[in-house]
Amino acid sequence: MTETTPNPAGNLGDVAPVLALVDEEIEQSLARLFELLRIPSISTDPAFKQECRQAGAWLVEQLTFLGFEASLRDTPGHPMVVGHNHEAGPDAPHVLFYGHYDVQPVDPLEEWTTPPFEPELAEAPDGSRIITGRGAADDKGQLMTFVEACRAYRTAGRKLPCRVTILFEGEEESGSPSLIPFLTANAEELKADCALVCDTNMWDAQTPAISTGLRGLVGEEITITAADRDLHSGYFGGAAANPIHILSRILADLHDETGRVTLDGFYDGVKDTPAEVLEMWDALGRTAEGFLGDVGLANPAGEKDRSVLELVWARPTAEVNGIQGGYTGEGFKTVIAAKASAKVSFRLVGEQDPDSIRAAFRSHVERRVPADCSVHFSPHGGSRAIQLPYDSPMLGTARAALSEEWPQPAVMIGMGGSIPVVGDFQSLLGMESLLIGFGLADDRIHSPNEKYSLTSFHRGIRSWVRIIAALAAR
Amino acid sequence: MTETTPNPAGNLGDVAPVLALVDEEIEQSLARLFELLRIPSISTDPAFKQECRQAGAWLVEQLTFLGFEASLRDTPGHPMVVGHNHEAGPDAPHVLFYGHYDVQPVDPLEEWTTPPFEPELAEAPDGSRIITGRGAADDKGQLMTFVEACRAYRTAGRKLPCRVTILFEGEEESGSPSLIPFLTANAEELKADCALVCDTNMWDAQTPAISTGLRGLVGEEITITAADRDLHSGYFGGAAANPIHILSRILADLHDETGRVTLDGFYDGVKDTPAEVLEMWDALGRTAEGFLGDVGLANPAGEKDRSVLELVWARPTAEVNGIQGGYTGEGFKTVIAAKASAKVSFRLVGEQDPDSIRAAFRSHVERRVPADCSVHFSPHGGSRAIQLPYDSPMLGTARAALSEEWPQPAVMIGMGGSIPVVGDFQSLLGMESLLIGFGLADDRIHSPNEKYSLTSFHRGIRSWVRIIAALAAR
């Protein structure tokens, strides 16, 4: 941190009329968000291909109305949305705003208390107002905070204070297969002074946060095949290989009794977290009981003797995200399955290399598959961890602008989730990212009953109005 | 074995006209079997309740036509079919024939090359003729061998040589919940001199077999619950308990590195197989390569240093029949599931006690579930192993009759599968069972593309014509 007060060069008073318009127009802003939330743009399921395109087209229409030169850009997968508004002139700073219009699948559907694609403004048990629906927080509600901030400037008859390029992706929830080719092919067009990425959380409902560390991600699906057909466990049980047994052994052996991941070389490139950073996180007062109690748990399950914040912000993991084999319907079927499969992902930190982790995992698996059985690997994504410098000037400017808007000053935190685009912006466009989002820990993203706080949406819009003004005034 | 030649007191020449009628009428017999196979009587799936009843009613109609006093008998689950034909008179021996009209589920449906409920007479790759469809072998094809044998006697204008009671169950594939209450409530009506149970295999296509040992079965479904919702593996990974990890550890720990089951007291009541029995089985010449090679495997996967026949006929097992947790759809979802579940079954031998095995398993599971997670147990079935005396006179009579019909003499074998009704007949009706069936090891029962050999069906009918004549002549 180099700056802790509002940027002295800026004239934040300028934005007061824009902020007032945000307040006046919040119901219309919400109605527009609901339009977007009604489109079931599930990118990982090919059945929703057309709906993904529809969501992208809707955004192009919005941006065009706001004076952006915007278009839907085809990829081998779902299309990108790109828009440019450079009315601030060539000397203004240039920001690239990134969000994604695709959403996670909704199963198990029966656990939703409101239909996932029929958003509502509801009252939470604590009395706060929330926006319900798949994508409310991840990431449609978040990306619309920026779109609506741009709209407020326009409604106020003002130019955007920065040159703004917008990039909305439609494959973030399915491994972003088209992102790197697209960034590479359009590097000149997309490169800006910095990126603004809105896909992260606040520290709590009062306290905005800028995420300065992001874990990387490696995903791998494995399928073990034993016999060439499902077998009767009476006739063959005790003699025939059972792929569920083999898979269980593979997965059980991923962790030792202290919770450490056992893959060869897994911790290569993992540095100890500096003591002062650990102290800063301890000062946030988030205990294991508080963090896990929110979701019905009590005891940290990972590596022993580390705080929960260190576990989720600064330590690597191996997690099984899904497993399936044999008969899983109602009742019982005494079968020995021909196949069993699991989806496994690794969160990476520091300098852990995705390719090496993938290779170590495959070796771990292959050593445990008997000679007469086989394994098929299917890779999903691969991204290194990101760590932003704590002393970046832009970081200070944005932190000050955020602190003006919210009840509590903005804090710098780690992020357990992976946002591969941040690494791609760094490596392909040479551009740092400011990770500023308004999600809350209980937003249930990726789960049934996803929601977004109305306050997050409203103050999120106001925050962007302030941030782009502050960045322009630097 | 006390008898190895056709029973001298019998007059097997008597059955020649009946056998000739079996041959003449085989196409009509097949047509009737197809009618039954077209009824999708999947007992484990409540959606097929009406179809189960329909299959039972169809059988009542057949038996009534054959001079049986037959009826559909309601239970809390699927109905029983009971029929009596005592025209042989009070001095004739009395047999109870048992089969089941319900079938296994058909998933994965896409692996069937012919629709499971549209039976066909097809040609197998080896040139033999087969009957395709779910239930062709297990157990509709088998039970119809006896029904058609009765029909041949009637068509020949002959009385059945034994007093015959028939019991067809509709819940065999779903744990037979109504069987014990029904046998108990109707013990007087159902008790006979011996039971004939037709739900087992031949030794090979040339060699009929009588199964003298049957493994018992204990099933248990476990569901591990960790957090109260599905979690994002980025935000919570490394700190939150993952129920798939817990389940994998539970299942991996079921076996030690020598393939033995690790549950406390699991091998209590398991006796070593007598050396002479092992020698008899060795003489059958079924190697691991042959037994497992048929299904695409090569190496025995269970306890070390035992023959495959001993493993499947005389050793107890623990097998995971199904597992499910987290995201299992297409693509990837970085979720930590709230729940994960598995269906586990144990095959029992000797004097292993089902209740003790279930308790030892539950204890094994509970010790591995962390304090802030929970487990739910759902029991499925429970039956002890059965061992018939090798020197039973009825066994010798049936073996001789079978040996007359088939190219090779009948052998006595073990059975890896469980047929709980045999234990129930023993304990509730004081009645031994002769386990005579005409299935083949490659019939794919419980799997896609189930089939039954036309020869099994045809000679199976002829076998019962001979067996009931021989039993009557003793």
mmCIF file of all heavy atoms in Angstrom, chain A residues 104 215 228 230 233-234 239 242 249 295 299 301 319 321 323 325 329 331 333 335 343 347 372 447, chain B residues 104 215 228 230 233-234 242 252 295 299 301 319 321 323 325 329 331 333 335 343 347 372 447:
data_model
loop_
_atom_site.group_PDB
_atom_site.id
_atom_site.type_symbol
_atom_site.label_atom_id
_atom_site.label_comp_id
_atom_site.label_asym_id
_atom_site.label_seq_id
_atom_site.Cartn_x
_atom_site.Cartn_y
_atom_site.Cartn_z
ATOM 1 N N GLN A 104 -22.791 -21.722 -14.039
ATOM 2 C CA GLN A 104 -22.649 -23.125 -13.669
ATOM 3 C C GLN A 104 -23.941 -23.899 -13.943
ATOM 4 O O GLN A 104 -25.016 -23.305 -13.982
ATOM 5 C CB GLN A 104 -22.355 -23.223 -12.169
ATOM 6 C CG GLN A 104 -20.915 -22.936 -11.805
ATOM 7 C CD GLN A 104 -20.060 -24.174 -11.939
ATOM 8 O OE1 GLN A 104 -20.446 -25.275 -11.577
ATOM 9 N NE2 GLN A 104 -18.860 -24.001 -12.472
ATOM 10 N N ARG A 215 -5.372 -18.703 -6.326
ATOM 11 C CA ARG A 215 -4.827 -20.034 -6.567
ATOM 12 C C ARG A 215 -5.030 -20.448 -8.024
ATOM 13 O O ARG A 215 -6.005 -20.071 -8.660
ATOM 14 C CB ARG A 215 -5.492 -21.055 -5.638
ATOM 15 C CG ARG A 215 -5.123 -20.823 -4.181
ATOM 16 C CD ARG A 215 -5.452 -22.003 -3.297
ATOM 17 N NE ARG A 215 -6.869 -22.150 -3.053
ATOM 18 C CZ ARG A 215 -7.383 -22.965 -2.144
ATOM 19 N NH1 ARG A 215 -6.576 -23.728 -1.396
ATOM 20 N NH2 ARG A 215 -8.677 -23.056 -1.968
ATOM 21 N N ASP A 228 -14.879 -56.106 -19.321
ATOM 22 C CA ASP A 228 -15.441 -55.497 -20.533
ATOM 23 C C ASP A 228 -16.956 -55.366 -20.458
ATOM 24 O O ASP A 228 -17.596 -54.986 -21.428
ATOM 25 C CB ASP A 228 -15.005 -56.262 -21.779
ATOM 26 C CG ASP A 228 -15.430 -57.720 -21.757
ATOM 27 O OD1 ASP A 228 -16.287 -58.082 -20.919
ATOM 28 O OD2 ASP A 228 -14.912 -58.497 -22.569
ATOM 29 N N ASP A 230 -20.419 -55.001 -17.211
ATOM 30 C CA ASP A 230 -20.809 -55.091 -15.806
ATOM 31 C C ASP A 230 -20.966 -56.573 -15.447
ATOM 32 O O ASP A 230 -21.503 -57.355 -16.225
ATOM 33 C CB ASP A 230 -22.130 -54.363 -15.566
ATOM 34 C CG ASP A 230 -21.976 -52.850 -15.632
ATOM 35 O OD1 ASP A 230 -20.827 -52.365 -15.736
ATOM 36 O OD2 ASP A 230 -23.008 -52.161 -15.562
ATOM 37 N N SER A 233 -22.002 -59.611 -9.056
ATOM 38 C CA SER A 233 -21.024 -59.692 -7.967
ATOM 39 C C SER A 233 -21.077 -61.045 -7.273
ATOM 40 O O SER A 233 -20.167 -61.404 -6.533
ATOM 41 C CB SER A 233 -21.250 -58.562 -6.960
ATOM 42 O OG SER A 233 -22.394 -58.806 -6.169
ATOM 43 N N GLY A 234 -22.137 -61.833 -7.501
ATOM 44 C CA GLY A 234 -22.157 -63.176 -6.952
ATOM 45 C C GLY A 234 -21.254 -64.111 -7.740
ATOM 46 O O GLY A 234 -20.405 -64.799 -7.186
ATOM 47 N N ALA A 239 -13.066 -62.507 -7.327
ATOM 48 C CA ALA A 239 -12.082 -62.885 -8.345
ATOM 49 C C ALA A 239 -11.848 -61.762 -9.353
ATOM 50 O O ALA A 239 -10.733 -61.579 -9.832
ATOM 51 C CB ALA A 239 -12.537 -64.145 -9.075
ATOM 52 N N ASN A 242 -12.566 -54.848 -9.297
ATOM 53 C CA ASN A 242 -13.680 -53.904 -9.149
ATOM 54 C C ASN A 242 -13.128 -52.494 -9.315
ATOM 55 O O ASN A 242 -12.337 -52.024 -8.495
ATOM 56 C CB ASN A 242 -14.315 -54.099 -7.777
ATOM 57 C CG ASN A 242 -15.541 -53.219 -7.569
ATOM 58 O OD1 ASN A 242 -15.626 -52.107 -8.098
ATOM 59 N ND2 ASN A 242 -16.496 -53.718 -6.807
ATOM 60 N N ARG A 249 -8.988 -46.486 -3.814
ATOM 61 C CA ARG A 249 -7.600 -46.535 -3.339
ATOM 62 C C ARG A 249 -6.816 -45.349 -3.902
ATOM 63 O O ARG A 249 -6.076 -44.665 -3.184
ATOM 64 C CB ARG A 249 -6.970 -47.876 -3.748
ATOM 65 C CG ARG A 249 -5.473 -47.988 -3.603
ATOM 66 C CD ARG A 249 -5.000 -47.819 -2.175
ATOM 67 N NE ARG A 249 -5.636 -48.762 -1.266
ATOM 68 C CZ ARG A 249 -5.723 -48.588 0.051
ATOM 69 N NH1 ARG A 249 -5.227 -47.505 0.625
ATOM 70 N NH2 ARG A 249 -6.327 -49.481 0.817
ATOM 71 N N VAL A 295 -21.345 -23.125 6.979
ATOM 72 C CA VAL A 295 -21.811 -24.180 6.069
ATOM 73 C C VAL A 295 -22.026 -25.501 6.804
ATOM 74 O O VAL A 295 -22.040 -26.572 6.194
ATOM 75 C CB VAL A 295 -20.838 -24.374 4.877
ATOM 76 C CG1 VAL A 295 -20.803 -23.105 4.033
ATOM 77 C CG2 VAL A 295 -19.429 -24.742 5.353
ATOM 78 N N ASN A 299 -14.595 -28.413 11.862
ATOM 79 C CA ASN A 299 -13.166 -28.704 11.951
ATOM 80 C C ASN A 299 -12.484 -28.599 10.592
ATOM 81 O O ASN A 299 -12.934 -29.216 9.635
ATOM 82 C CB ASN A 299 -12.969 -30.128 12.490
ATOM 83 C CG ASN A 299 -13.709 -30.344 13.796
ATOM 84 O OD1 ASN A 299 -13.705 -29.478 14.659
ATOM 85 N ND2 ASN A 299 -14.366 -31.481 13.914
ATOM 86 N N ALA A 301 -10.400 -29.502 7.529
ATOM 87 C CA ALA A 301 -10.172 -30.864 7.065
ATOM 88 C C ALA A 301 -8.843 -31.019 6.334
ATOM 89 O O ALA A 301 -8.451 -32.118 6.013
ATOM 90 C CB ALA A 301 -11.307 -31.290 6.138
ATOM 91 N N GLU A 319 -8.759 -31.982 -4.541
ATOM 92 C CA GLU A 319 -10.153 -32.228 -4.171
ATOM 93 C C GLU A 319 -10.807 -33.090 -5.242
ATOM 94 O O GLU A 319 -10.638 -32.838 -6.436
ATOM 95 C CB GLU A 319 -10.956 -30.913 -4.076
ATOM 96 C CG GLU A 319 -10.552 -29.968 -2.976
ATOM 97 C CD GLU A 319 -11.020 -30.392 -1.582
ATOM 98 O OE1 GLU A 319 -11.862 -31.316 -1.473
ATOM 99 O OE2 GLU A 319 -10.515 -29.798 -0.609
ATOM 100 N N ASN A 321 -14.049 -33.685 -7.085
ATOM 101 C CA ASN A 321 -15.264 -32.896 -7.309
ATOM 102 C C ASN A 321 -16.461 -33.754 -7.714
ATOM 103 O O ASN A 321 -17.599 -33.298 -7.647
ATOM 104 C CB ASN A 321 -15.012 -31.841 -8.390
ATOM 105 C CG ASN A 321 -13.857 -30.933 -8.047
ATOM 106 O OD1 ASN A 321 -12.853 -30.909 -8.751
ATOM 107 N ND2 ASN A 321 -13.968 -30.215 -6.949
ATOM 108 N N ILE A 323 -17.660 -38.230 -8.375
ATOM 109 C CA ILE A 323 -17.294 -39.640 -8.499
ATOM 110 C C ILE A 323 -18.534 -40.413 -8.905
ATOM 111 O O ILE A 323 -19.650 -40.066 -8.496
ATOM 112 C CB ILE A 323 -16.705 -40.186 -7.179
ATOM 113 C CG1 ILE A 323 -16.116 -41.586 -7.371
ATOM 114 C CG2 ILE A 323 -17.751 -40.197 -6.056
ATOM 115 C CD1 ILE A 323 -15.259 -42.026 -6.191
ATOM 116 N N GLY A 325 -19.820 -44.594 -10.290
ATOM 117 C CA GLY A 325 -19.538 -45.935 -10.780
ATOM 118 C C GLY A 325 -20.604 -46.901 -10.318
ATOM 119 O O GLY A 325 -21.186 -46.723 -9.251
ATOM 120 N N GLY A 329 -28.947 -46.071 -8.814
ATOM 121 C CA GLY A 329 -30.369 -45.780 -8.767
ATOM 122 C C GLY A 329 -30.981 -46.202 -7.441
ATOM 123 O O GLY A 329 -30.286 -46.522 -6.473
ATOM 124 N N GLY A 331 -32.843 -48.551 -4.755
ATOM 125 C CA GLY A 331 -32.708 -49.966 -4.471
ATOM 126 C C GLY A 331 -31.265 -50.439 -4.606
ATOM 127 O O GLY A 331 -30.336 -49.652 -4.478
ATOM 128 N N LYS A 333 -28.375 -53.202 -6.633
ATOM 129 C CA LYS A 333 -28.043 -54.047 -7.767
ATOM 130 C C LYS A 333 -26.662 -54.610 -7.477
ATOM 131 O O LYS A 333 -25.698 -53.860 -7.370
ATOM 132 C CB LYS A 333 -28.054 -53.193 -9.032
ATOM 133 C CG LYS A 333 -27.944 -53.974 -10.305
ATOM 134 C CD LYS A 333 -28.201 -53.066 -11.511
ATOM 135 C CE LYS A 333 -27.786 -53.746 -12.785
ATOM 136 N NZ LYS A 333 -27.944 -52.895 -13.963
ATOM 137 N N VAL A 335 -23.857 -55.622 -8.577
ATOM 138 C CA VAL A 335 -23.089 -55.594 -9.808
ATOM 139 C C VAL A 335 -21.636 -55.230 -9.485
ATOM 140 O O VAL A 335 -21.367 -54.529 -8.505
ATOM 141 C CB VAL A 335 -23.713 -54.546 -10.765
ATOM 142 C CG1 VAL A 335 -23.505 -53.147 -10.243
ATOM 143 C CG2 VAL A 335 -23.196 -54.680 -12.176
ATOM 144 N N LYS A 343 -13.761 -36.930 -11.083
ATOM 145 C CA LYS A 343 -13.232 -35.628 -11.496
ATOM 146 C C LYS A 343 -12.439 -35.089 -10.325
ATOM 147 O O LYS A 343 -12.975 -34.962 -9.225
ATOM 148 C CB LYS A 343 -14.370 -34.683 -11.863
ATOM 149 C CG LYS A 343 -15.226 -35.156 -13.043
ATOM 150 C CD LYS A 343 -16.387 -34.196 -13.286
ATOM 151 C CE LYS A 343 -17.509 -34.832 -14.082
ATOM 152 N NZ LYS A 343 -17.343 -34.770 -15.527
ATOM 153 N N ARG A 347 -5.828 -27.136 -6.563
ATOM 154 C CA ARG A 347 -5.634 -25.693 -6.459
ATOM 155 C C ARG A 347 -4.146 -25.456 -6.234
ATOM 156 O O ARG A 347 -3.543 -26.094 -5.371
ATOM 157 C CB ARG A 347 -6.421 -25.121 -5.281
ATOM 158 C CG ARG A 347 -7.923 -25.337 -5.396
ATOM 159 C CD ARG A 347 -8.566 -24.315 -6.287
ATOM 160 N NE ARG A 347 -9.951 -24.693 -6.580
ATOM 161 C CZ ARG A 347 -10.746 -24.005 -7.378
ATOM 162 N NH1 ARG A 347 -10.324 -22.897 -7.964
ATOM 163 N NH2 ARG A 347 -11.973 -24.413 -7.611
ATOM 164 N N ASP A 372 -4.303 -55.712 -15.784
ATOM 165 C CA ASP A 372 -5.385 -56.090 -16.698
ATOM 166 C C ASP A 372 -6.520 -55.072 -16.721
ATOM 167 O O ASP A 372 -7.563 -55.319 -17.329
ATOM 168 C CB ASP A 372 -5.921 -57.499 -16.370
ATOM 169 C CG ASP A 372 -6.409 -57.631 -14.949
ATOM 170 O OD1 ASP A 372 -6.175 -56.694 -14.142
ATOM 171 O OD2 ASP A 372 -7.015 -58.667 -14.619
ATOM 172 N N SER A 447 -23.688 -23.584 -6.293
ATOM 173 C CA SER A 447 -24.583 -24.427 -5.492
ATOM 174 C C SER A 447 -26.032 -24.037 -5.770
ATOM 175 O O SER A 447 -26.293 -23.006 -6.386
ATOM 176 C CB SER A 447 -24.297 -24.231 -3.999
ATOM 177 O OG SER A 447 -22.995 -24.628 -3.666
ATOM 178 N N GLN B 104 -33.895 -57.447 -13.208
ATOM 179 C CA GLN B 104 -32.998 -56.339 -12.856
ATOM 180 C C GLN B 104 -33.316 -55.101 -13.702
ATOM 181 O O GLN B 104 -33.856 -55.216 -14.799
ATOM 182 C CB GLN B 104 -31.553 -56.749 -13.153
ATOM 183 C CG GLN B 104 -30.947 -57.628 -12.092
ATOM 184 C CD GLN B 104 -30.350 -56.816 -10.961
ATOM 185 O OE1 GLN B 104 -29.750 -55.761 -11.172
ATOM 186 N NE2 GLN B 104 -30.552 -57.286 -9.739
ATOM 187 N N ARG B 215 -23.341 -68.671 -1.451
ATOM 188 C CA ARG B 215 -22.907 -67.625 -0.525
ATOM 189 C C ARG B 215 -24.097 -66.805 -0.040
ATOM 190 O O ARG B 215 -25.075 -66.616 -0.759
ATOM 191 C CB ARG B 215 -21.892 -66.708 -1.220
ATOM 192 C CG ARG B 215 -20.577 -67.432 -1.490
ATOM 193 C CD ARG B 215 -19.438 -66.492 -1.816
ATOM 194 N NE ARG B 215 -19.567 -65.895 -3.131
ATOM 195 C CZ ARG B 215 -18.582 -65.214 -3.731
ATOM 196 N NH1 ARG B 215 -17.419 -65.038 -3.112
ATOM 197 N NH2 ARG B 215 -18.759 -64.699 -4.923
ATOM 198 N N ASP B 228 -23.552 -28.447 4.807
ATOM 199 C CA ASP B 228 -25.002 -28.475 4.613
ATOM 200 C C ASP B 228 -25.400 -28.047 3.202
ATOM 201 O O ASP B 228 -26.579 -27.880 2.906
ATOM 202 C CB ASP B 228 -25.715 -27.632 5.672
ATOM 203 C CG ASP B 228 -25.275 -26.182 5.673
ATOM 204 O OD1 ASP B 228 -24.614 -25.751 4.693
ATOM 205 O OD2 ASP B 228 -25.570 -25.467 6.647
ATOM 206 N N ASP B 230 -23.600 -27.912 -1.203
ATOM 207 C CA ASP B 230 -22.433 -28.054 -2.065
ATOM 208 C C ASP B 230 -21.610 -26.775 -1.961
ATOM 209 O O ASP B 230 -22.162 -25.673 -1.950
ATOM 210 C CB ASP B 230 -22.863 -28.266 -3.512
ATOM 211 C CG ASP B 230 -23.446 -29.660 -3.747
ATOM 212 O OD1 ASP B 230 -23.394 -30.490 -2.820
ATOM 213 O OD2 ASP B 230 -23.939 -29.909 -4.855
ATOM 214 N N SER B 233 -15.111 -25.308 -4.548
ATOM 215 C CA SER B 233 -13.839 -25.882 -4.087
ATOM 216 C C SER B 233 -12.734 -24.840 -4.046
ATOM 217 O O SER B 233 -11.695 -25.065 -3.444
ATOM 218 C CB SER B 233 -13.435 -27.063 -4.969
ATOM 219 O OG SER B 233 -12.951 -26.624 -6.221
ATOM 220 N N GLY B 234 -12.935 -23.692 -4.694
ATOM 221 C CA GLY B 234 -11.948 -22.620 -4.575
ATOM 222 C C GLY B 234 -12.061 -21.921 -3.232
ATOM 223 O O GLY B 234 -11.075 -21.763 -2.519
ATOM 224 N N ASN B 242 -14.492 -33.012 2.660
ATOM 225 C CA ASN B 242 -15.016 -33.467 1.372
ATOM 226 C C ASN B 242 -15.542 -34.896 1.560
ATOM 227 O O ASN B 242 -14.760 -35.817 1.822
ATOM 228 C CB ASN B 242 -13.906 -33.421 0.316
ATOM 229 C CG ASN B 242 -14.399 -33.803 -1.070
ATOM 230 O OD1 ASN B 242 -15.291 -34.627 -1.226
ATOM 231 N ND2 ASN B 242 -13.802 -33.190 -2.081
ATOM 232 N N ALA B 252 -11.499 -47.797 0.547
ATOM 233 C CA ALA B 252 -10.133 -48.298 0.324
ATOM 234 C C ALA B 252 -9.689 -49.161 1.506
ATOM 235 O O ALA B 252 -8.974 -50.149 1.330
ATOM 236 C CB ALA B 252 -9.174 -47.132 0.110
ATOM 237 N N VAL B 295 -14.322 -62.221 -19.582
ATOM 238 C CA VAL B 295 -14.870 -60.874 -19.368
ATOM 239 C C VAL B 295 -13.785 -59.811 -19.498
ATOM 240 O O VAL B 295 -13.929 -58.694 -19.004
ATOM 241 C CB VAL B 295 -15.580 -60.765 -17.993
ATOM 242 C CG1 VAL B 295 -16.788 -61.686 -17.958
ATOM 243 C CG2 VAL B 295 -14.623 -61.057 -16.832
ATOM 244 N N ASN B 299 -6.161 -61.266 -14.140
ATOM 245 C CA ASN B 299 -5.577 -61.565 -12.830
ATOM 246 C C ASN B 299 -6.626 -61.573 -11.725
ATOM 247 O O ASN B 299 -7.382 -60.612 -11.599
ATOM 248 C CB ASN B 299 -4.522 -60.518 -12.483
ATOM 249 C CG ASN B 299 -3.488 -60.381 -13.590
ATOM 250 O OD1 ASN B 299 -3.044 -61.378 -14.150
ATOM 251 N ND2 ASN B 299 -3.144 -59.150 -13.921
ATOM 252 N N ALA B 301 -8.423 -60.754 -8.468
ATOM 253 C CA ALA B 301 -8.263 -59.508 -7.722
ATOM 254 C C ALA B 301 -8.495 -59.674 -6.226
ATOM 255 O O ALA B 301 -8.264 -58.746 -5.474
ATOM 256 C CB ALA B 301 -9.243 -58.470 -8.269
ATOM 257 N N GLU B 319 -17.740 -56.041 -1.713
ATOM 258 C CA GLU B 319 -17.706 -55.396 -3.023
ATOM 259 C C GLU B 319 -18.508 -54.105 -2.973
ATOM 260 O O GLU B 319 -19.614 -54.077 -2.431
ATOM 261 C CB GLU B 319 -18.338 -56.300 -4.104
ATOM 262 C CG GLU B 319 -17.591 -57.574 -4.415
ATOM 263 C CD GLU B 319 -16.326 -57.380 -5.263
ATOM 264 O OE1 GLU B 319 -16.129 -56.268 -5.811
ATOM 265 O OE2 GLU B 319 -15.560 -58.351 -5.355
ATOM 266 N N ASN B 321 -20.811 -51.901 -4.989
ATOM 267 C CA ASN B 321 -21.647 -52.090 -6.174
ATOM 268 C C ASN B 321 -22.017 -50.776 -6.854
ATOM 269 O O ASN B 321 -22.468 -50.776 -7.993
ATOM 270 C CB ASN B 321 -22.921 -52.844 -5.796
ATOM 271 C CG ASN B 321 -22.642 -54.173 -5.136
ATOM 272 O OD1 ASN B 321 -22.993 -54.395 -3.980
ATOM 273 N ND2 ASN B 321 -21.956 -55.056 -5.836
ATOM 274 N N ILE B 323 -21.269 -46.168 -6.514
ATOM 275 C CA ILE B 323 -20.757 -45.014 -5.768
ATOM 276 C C ILE B 323 -21.178 -43.758 -6.517
ATOM 277 O O ILE B 323 -21.251 -43.749 -7.748
ATOM 278 C CB ILE B 323 -19.222 -45.088 -5.617
ATOM 279 C CG1 ILE B 323 -18.704 -44.019 -4.656
ATOM 280 C CG2 ILE B 323 -18.526 -44.972 -6.968
ATOM 281 C CD1 ILE B 323 -17.253 -44.255 -4.230
ATOM 282 N N GLY B 325 -21.188 -39.214 -6.038
ATOM 283 C CA GLY B 325 -21.052 -38.002 -5.247
ATOM 284 C C GLY B 325 -20.580 -36.856 -6.119
ATOM 285 O O GLY B 325 -19.862 -37.062 -7.091
ATOM 286 N N GLY B 329 -21.862 -34.885 -14.293
ATOM 287 C CA GLY B 329 -22.317 -34.623 -15.646
ATOM 288 C C GLY B 329 -21.159 -34.357 -16.584
ATOM 289 O O GLY B 329 -19.988 -34.574 -16.259
ATOM 290 N N GLY B 331 -18.420 -32.254 -18.672
ATOM 291 C CA GLY B 331 -17.601 -31.114 -18.278
ATOM 292 C C GLY B 331 -17.167 -31.197 -16.827
ATOM 293 O O GLY B 331 -17.093 -32.291 -16.256
ATOM 294 N N LYS B 333 -17.106 -29.298 -12.792
ATOM 295 C CA LYS B 333 -17.706 -28.373 -11.843
ATOM 296 C C LYS B 333 -16.855 -28.439 -10.589
ATOM 297 O O LYS B 333 -16.747 -29.499 -9.964
ATOM 298 C CB LYS B 333 -19.150 -28.798 -11.578
ATOM 299 C CG LYS B 333 -19.953 -27.827 -10.772
ATOM 300 C CD LYS B 333 -21.413 -28.234 -10.768
ATOM 301 C CE LYS B 333 -22.174 -27.451 -9.732
ATOM 302 N NZ LYS B 333 -23.581 -27.868 -9.633
ATOM 303 N N VAL B 335 -16.694 -28.293 -7.421
ATOM 304 C CA VAL B 335 -17.580 -28.290 -6.275
ATOM 305 C C VAL B 335 -17.022 -29.240 -5.215
ATOM 306 O O VAL B 335 -16.333 -30.212 -5.537
ATOM 307 C CB VAL B 335 -18.993 -28.751 -6.734
ATOM 308 C CG1 VAL B 335 -18.990 -30.213 -7.122
ATOM 309 C CG2 VAL B 335 -20.038 -28.464 -5.699
ATOM 310 N N LYS B 343 -23.079 -48.076 -2.356
ATOM 311 C CA LYS B 343 -23.780 -49.315 -2.055
ATOM 312 C C LYS B 343 -22.720 -50.407 -1.942
ATOM 313 O O LYS B 343 -21.945 -50.606 -2.876
ATOM 314 C CB LYS B 343 -24.785 -49.644 -3.163
ATOM 315 C CG LYS B 343 -25.888 -48.596 -3.344
ATOM 316 C CD LYS B 343 -26.794 -48.964 -4.516
ATOM 317 C CE LYS B 343 -27.560 -47.759 -5.042
ATOM 318 N NZ LYS B 343 -28.817 -47.507 -4.366
ATOM 319 N N ARG B 347 -20.524 -60.932 0.424
ATOM 320 C CA ARG B 347 -20.911 -62.321 0.182
ATOM 321 C C ARG B 347 -20.397 -63.141 1.353
ATOM 322 O O ARG B 347 -19.219 -63.028 1.729
ATOM 323 C CB ARG B 347 -20.294 -62.837 -1.121
ATOM 324 C CG ARG B 347 -20.725 -62.053 -2.353
ATOM 325 C CD ARG B 347 -22.087 -62.472 -2.830
ATOM 326 N NE ARG B 347 -22.584 -61.535 -3.847
ATOM 327 C CZ ARG B 347 -23.768 -61.647 -4.439
ATOM 328 N NH1 ARG B 347 -24.581 -62.642 -4.120
ATOM 329 N NH2 ARG B 347 -24.153 -60.773 -5.330
ATOM 330 N N ASP B 372 -17.624 -33.633 12.709
ATOM 331 C CA ASP B 372 -18.582 -32.657 12.200
ATOM 332 C C ASP B 372 -19.303 -33.135 10.938
ATOM 333 O O ASP B 372 -20.039 -32.378 10.323
ATOM 334 C CB ASP B 372 -17.926 -31.287 11.962
ATOM 335 C CG ASP B 372 -16.736 -31.367 11.010
ATOM 336 O OD1 ASP B 372 -16.312 -32.492 10.668
ATOM 337 O OD2 ASP B 372 -16.235 -30.310 10.619
ATOM 338 N N SER B 447 -26.574 -57.409 -16.477
ATOM 339 C CA SER B 447 -25.792 -56.541 -17.367
ATOM 340 C C SER B 447 -26.596 -56.279 -18.644
ATOM 341 O O SER B 447 -27.596 -56.947 -18.897
ATOM 342 C CB SER B 447 -24.465 -57.217 -17.752
ATOM 343 O OG SER B 447 -23.675 -57.443 -16.623
#
